[in-house]
Amino acid sequence: MKIEVKDAPGQLVAALKPISEAGGNIIAVIHEWDPTLRSKTRIVQVVLDIPEDRVDGLVESLTSRGVSILRMGEERLLMKRSVIMIGHLMHTDLSDTVDQIDCTGFAEVVEIHMTMPGIAQRSSALLTVSATNAAHMETAMEILRAVAKKKDLLLVEPMEESI
């Protein structure tokens, strides 16, 4: 969920306390500062796990404490990484390559941009993979590395991580 809280001492703790009270488990908290927002407020992203039947009570508790809920929803795939694959992607069955990631249950290819200059020439694709956590992302990358090696494709990975 993405919430907006007052920028004052103790407000972040006050906004997070109802999550615990509702039986939720806080997985991550990302505190953002955006100068375009009303003065004296801050945006906070909270990744949490809470039983479905307790969500309404949590929403009521947060809003009664003056916390604005800007966005809320299930987001299972928290990590994202883009890679480039170069080679005869169509001739080596790109859908099979994607399926090997998608069938894991913890990672998915969520976007593909492809360029095919000619039937006998190598094509290139920008693949974006999302995964549930860093360990699962690494496993997905290991799968892509193995597929690229088996199919004689070049896999270009990022040098820096982004979440």
Side-chain angles (χ1 to χ4, degrees):
M1 73 174 33
K2 187 179 261 190
I3 59 176
E4 183 178 18
V5 298
K6 294 175 187 165
D7 185 21
Q11 292 301 302
L12 180 57
V13 171
L16 297 177
K17 188 174 181 182
I19 296 169
S20 176
E21 291 171 350
N25 182 32
I26 297 171
I27 298 168
V29 177
I30 303 167
H31 183 271
E32 300 176 31
W33 182 75
D34 186 344
T36 64
L37 293 175
R38 299 186 317 250
S39 62
K40 308 277 185 190
T41 62
R42 296 292 177 251
I43 298 294
V44 179
Q45 287 187 351
V46 183
V47 179
L48 63 120
D49 184 28
I50 187 167
E52 186 67 34
D53 62 337
R54 297 184 183 183
V55 172
D56 290 340
L58 173 60
V59 170
E60 285 179 30
S61 182
L62 288 171
T63 54
S64 71
R65 295 175 192 219
V67 176
S68 298
I69 300 173
L70 304 177
R71 183 181 58 82
M72 193 166 120
E74 183 178 336
E75 191 169 334
R76 193 177 68 81
L77 302 173
L78 304 174
M79 301 274 315
K80 189 177 278 193
R81 186 180 299 174
S82 293
V83 298
I84 298 171
M85 294 190 91
I86 302 170
H88 295 287
L89 300 171
M90 296 307 289
H91 299 296
T92 58
D93 195 359
L94 182 59
S95 64
D96 169 68
T97 302
V98 171
D99 287 346
Q100 290 196 45
I101 299 298
D102 289 355
C103 76
T104 63
F106 55 76
E108 296 175 9
V109 176
V110 295
E111 194 171 346
I112 298 176
H113 298 277
M114 189 165 178
T115 302
M116 301 182 319
I119 196 160
Q121 295 179 313
R122 293 178 182 214
S123 51
S124 61
L126 175 67
L127 281 73
T128 302
V129 177
S130 290
T132 55
N133 59 42
H136 287 152
M137 179 60 77
E138 183 53 34
T139 302
M141 290 298 108
E142 288 171 6
I143 292 168
L144 276 181
R145 289 180 200 114
V147 168
K149 185 175 181 176
K150 179 181 174 185
K151 296 182 177 186
D152 195 29
L153 304 171
L154 174 63
L155 179 66
V156 182
E157 298 183 56
M159 294 179 67
E160 295 181 9
E161 288 299 313
S162 64
I163 294 177

